[in-house]
Amino acid sequence: MAQDGEIPVGERVRELRKARRMTLLSVAQRAGISEGYLSQVERGIANPSIATLRQIAGALGLRVGDLFADQGGGRARVLRVADRPGLEFGVLGRKYRLTPRPARNVEVFIGEFDPGGSTGDDPYTHGESEEFVLVLKGRVELQLDGEAIELAAGDSADYSSATPHRLVETGGAPASVLWVISPPSY
């Protein structure tokens, strides 16, 4: 039972799922549970096991503790540089989450590319979010649905994350970019 001021876990799951614009079916499939059971969890009818909560959290791209985390009532959530989670990322590149988890409305990442690095061999999509990229250092080419757009330090672009896209370092030197994605899709 939730204490005064606490959000029950089912409501929290629903809130986080909707913030990511994910359907009940997509989360249930990723978690390996039925859509009906997930609906019952969200409505507080079913009490999932810790193992099931881990599966649900994983399907949402979270840790199980994020389903219970106090959002701090307006207090800042801090993510120290040493604690930045790295994500598997492309070719000759590194990507780090800058926003503390769970990100409810926006995710911010920094990407670092070695010379010749890219987000991967092929364009990709993720969710139906708005994505903004700012080149912090170096030169990159944004490949967006077959169009190639050269970007240098200080240049930015925005696009739908549902549009096939890819970044490639083109200046022959290390490059770094900042991504802002809303709502979160990772």
Side-chain angles (χ1 to χ4, degrees), residues 132-164:
F132 168 86
V133 63
L134 169 67
V135 179
L136 301 173
K137 178 176 94 174
R139 297 186 65 80
V140 297
E141 178 182 271
L142 170 62
Q143 297 173 1
L144 187 63
D145 203 21
E147 180 182 2
I149 304 162
E150 288 291 327
L151 300 171
D155 292 343
S156 62
D158 72 320
Y159 47 91
S160 168
S161 62
T163 304

Side-chain angles (χ1 to χ4, degrees), residues 112-129:
E112 300 172 345
F113 299 97
D114 294 334
S118 71
T119 54
D121 292 331
D122 299 307
Y124 66 102
T125 63
H126 52 94
E128 293 193 14
S129 300

